[in-house]
Amino acid sequence: MVFSSLLFLFRFLPLVLLFYYAVPVTWRNFVLFAASLIFYAWGEPVYIVLIFFSTMVDYTAGRAVSHFMEQGKKKYAGYAAACSVCVNLALLGFFKYADFLIQTICNITPFELSPLELALPVGISFYTFQTMSYTIDVYRGDAKVQKNFITFGAYVALFPQLIAGPIIRYKTVAGQLDSRTENRELFFKGIMRFVAGLGKKVLLANQAGMLWNEIAAFQAADLTAASAWIGIAAFTFQIYFDFSGYSDMAIGLGYMFGFSFTENFDYPYESRSITEFWRRWHISLGTWFKEYVYIPLGGNRKGMAAQICNIAIVWLLTGLWHGAYWNFVLWGVYYGIVLILEKCCWKRLLQKLPAWACHIYTMILVMIGWSLFAWQDMSDGRGYLRAMFFGAGLADRHAVYLFLSNAVLLLICALGSLSVCKKAVLGILGQQRMGMALKDAAGAGFIVAVFAASLAMLVNSSYNPFLYFRF
């Protein structure tokens, strides 16, 4: 079940909201936990056992860590935390990377092994990182143990962000799980944010995705450089509006249930360097790796050589986190190298360049990165990357047709990926002469218009993927 589906919009969500606000406050976490398990089981009923098992393991480990810390037995608390981490990583490794490992062994050795061909449990990369952060934070003393299993289960399986994030660390929502504010103002804010995300997904990401699929279907050798760049521009917009749209919908749903989730995107395509880009893109994942991998490894505290090694480790793991294919490993290595070069060699140069030059530099490198990310088949990826720079000519009639027929879409996507549109809208709504009634009417009009347009697209089109579901 996806957020941008008629089933979710008109059946699941209204029923959950009805039950949630109908029951006493003390029962609301139970409603969320039960609804989240139903949401997860809708597509993969078998793997509800997996998420329930993961919840049990980390709940038990958290209690054990807390018990041993109270007893002054930090060593045993460390064992309990390590057990939690190992179990979570083992589950993630088995379901996500077993076939990747088997295939790699077969490629480099004479052994012939049959792949397991296990279906990837949806959202396992997200909720695994969440549950590990809980146990680690309890061990560090950054969070108090959660003694209520239902409350902890609601945190792990919370359906607004279960499938594709943002990754919510326990310490950021611990207080909200036990006591949160629910009111009309926050609920309306949630509706606004949810509908904005729905519009991003359905009206922009899906349309850009169809353009990308059209161009990607061509043989790379037949593409001109212009066609290849138009295609990767479409994918660049698709993956941004797809993922940031989902994050907006998750944050909006959180508001509806009284939660305040952390932001996951901050207009990354406005960045002036790759370092800045990764502070703005998938913020929750970057923060997780910083808090639980980079800093524990030593961060930048042990000299430049150690820092470079730590960056390399983090980005190798970041690439692997995204998928069990070599293109994701290469993508992570690519960004690791660029970030190291920026830190060691290019930092001063970028500071001297004008802002527009830094933006162009960043977006070219980002689009090259997406060309690596988009193709799981490495040979297809190499062919497409070659076409971007050494295509079958600079441009042809087909490239001109593609550009002219999609210029409006690409322009809207470009403007929508920048903060200028948001600032303009807030500036208009913030004018003194505009009364509260008019502002509310404008907000309601926005909701109705975007929601109606999104519904029309959903009814008339069967193309509605979520790219980050596969991670």
Side-chain angles (χ1 to χ4, degrees):
M1 193 187 308
V2 297
F3 294 165
S4 57
S5 67
L6 300 178
L7 173 64
F8 180 84
L9 293 171
F10 292 103
R11 294 186 183 181
F12 182 83
L13 182 58
L15 283 173
V16 174
L17 287 170
L18 178 64
F19 277 105
Y20 181 81
Y21 282 102
V23 302
V25 173
T26 54
W27 282 79
R28 289 180 178 175
N29 281 343
F30 174 77
V31 171
L32 278 179
F33 186 34
S36 298
L37 292 178
I38 293 170
F39 177 85
Y40 192 77
W42 195 269
E44 296 185 11
V46 173
Y47 285 136
I48 195 173
V49 177
L50 182 63
I51 194 171
F52 196 82
F53 174 74
S54 182
T55 303
M56 285 289 299
V57 166
D58 290 289
Y59 172 78
T60 305
R63 294 293 300 269
V65 168
S66 177
H67 171 74
F68 288 126
M69 292 297 281
E70 290 174 359
Q71 297 280 322
K73 300 177 180 178
K74 190 173 182 179
K75 178 180 177 181
Y76 292 102
Y79 289 153
C83 180
S84 166
V85 171
C86 290
V87 170
N88 279 290
L89 291 179
L91 291 173
L92 182 62
F94 178 73
F95 285 97
K96 191 167 185 175
Y97 302 106
D99 282 351
F100 176 65
L101 180 61
I102 290 171
Q103 186 63 49
T104 302
I105 291 172
C106 291
N107 290 337
I108 63 177
T109 69
F111 297 111
E112 292 186 7
L113 303 173
S114 299
L116 302 179
E117 297 183 350
L118 296 170
L120 179 66
V122 175
I124 188 171
S125 297
F126 290 92
Y127 70 73
T128 297
F129 273 30
Q130 287 194 178
T131 53
M132 282 196 295
S133 76
Y134 163 73
T135 314
I136 294 170
D137 285 344
V138 172
Y139 175 73
R140 289 176 172 178
D142 293 336
K144 293 183 179 180
V145 67
Q146 178 55 253
K147 296 182 179 180
N148 188 310
F149 178 77
I150 297 299
T151 300
F152 181 72
Y155 159 71
V156 175
L158 196 60
F159 77 86
Q161 47 75 230
L162 170 65
I163 304 298
I167 299 171
I168 306 298
R169 289 174 295 162
Y170 179 78
K171 63 182 179 182
T172 65
V173 294
Q176 300 171 49
L177 286 165
D178 293 323
S179 177
R180 52 189 177 272
T181 301
E182 297 140 342
N183 53 50
R184 291 182 181 180
E185 182 180 352
L186 200 61
F187 192 88
F188 182 73
K189 184 180 179 181
I191 293 175
M192 291 281 287
R193 190 66 180 269
F194 180 87
V195 172
L198 182 66
K200 278 185 178 182
K201 165 60 186 160
V202 177
L203 302 180
L204 298 179
N206 285 1
Q207 310 315 307
M210 287 189 284
L211 173 58
W212 160 246
N213 286 347
E214 178 185 349
I215 295 174
F218 283 84
Q219 291 292 325
D222 298 331
L223 287 174
T224 61
S227 296
W229 279 98
I230 292 170
I232 205 60
F235 183 78
T236 297
F237 289 131
Q238 181 194 11
I239 197 166
Y240 170 68
F241 288 113
D242 182 280
F243 195 16
S244 70
Y246 186 97
S247 294
D248 285 343
M249 286 188 275
I251 292 169
L253 288 169
Y255 286 141
M256 294 182 202
F257 294 102
F259 290 94
S260 180
F261 297 152
T262 53
E263 295 291 338
N264 213 20
F265 290 87
D266 183 20
Y267 297 101
Y269 293 162
E270 290 185 342
S271 302
R272 300 183 186 183
S273 67
I274 295 300
T275 302
E276 182 183 355
F277 174 79
W278 280 106
R279 285 199 294 262
R280 291 169 171 252
W281 179 280
H282 205 344
I283 297 169
S284 62
L285 179 66
T287 302
W288 197 97
F289 273 112
K290 178 183 177 181
E291 291 282 337
Y292 301 106
V293 180
Y294 181 70
I295 291 176
L297 285 174
N300 59 359
R301 302 188 305 274
K302 298 181 179 180
M304 183 57 71
Q307 184 181 6
I308 290 173
C309 181
N310 294 338
I311 292 172
I313 292 171
V314 165
W315 280 96
L316 177 63
L317 294 176
T318 301
L320 278 171
W321 181 90
H322 279 84
Y325 295 93
W326 282 109
N327 71 303
F328 295 123
V329 176
L330 179 61
W331 177 79
V333 170
Y334 164 79
Y335 271 116
I337 291 171
V338 173
L339 288 166
I340 290 169
L341 288 173
E342 281 193 354
K343 187 170 291 294
C344 298
C345 308
W346 299 345
K347 186 175 182 179
R348 292 183 180 179
L349 175 61
L350 290 172
Q351 290 172 344
K352 294 178 181 179
L353 290 175
W356 62 266
C358 292
H359 286 308
I360 291 173
Y361 151 83
T362 301
M363 286 311 301
I364 288 175
L365 290 183
V366 167
M367 292 168 78
I368 291 172
W370 289 137
S371 70
L372 300 174
F373 189 92
W375 299 95
Q376 292 180 358
D377 188 311
M378 295 282 285
S379 60
D380 289 340
R382 285 195 302 270
Y384 195 89
L385 190 60
R386 190 181 302 113
M388 289 170 62
F389 294 96
F390 309 102
L394 183 62
D396 57 10
R397 290 183 179 179
H398 183 251
V400 174
Y401 168 77
L402 284 172
F403 177 76
L404 293 177
S405 59
N406 294 282
V408 174
L409 170 65
L410 294 174
L411 178 61
I412 292 173
C413 287
L415 291 174
S417 66
L418 304 176
S419 61
V420 62
C421 292
K422 180 180 179 180
K423 290 176 181 177
V425 171
L426 292 177
I428 294 172
L429 293 177
Q431 293 179 10
Q432 294 293 331
R433 63 178 178 272
M434 182 177 284
M436 287 301 299
L438 187 55
K439 291 179 182 179
D440 291 342
F446 167 80
I447 290 175
V448 172
V450 175
F451 190 67
S454 300
L455 286 183
M457 286 290 187
L458 289 174
V459 170
N460 292 321
S461 176
S462 60
Y463 182 78
N464 190 32
F466 261 119
L467 298 185
Y468 263 72
F469 274 20
R470 60 183 176 177
F471 307 129

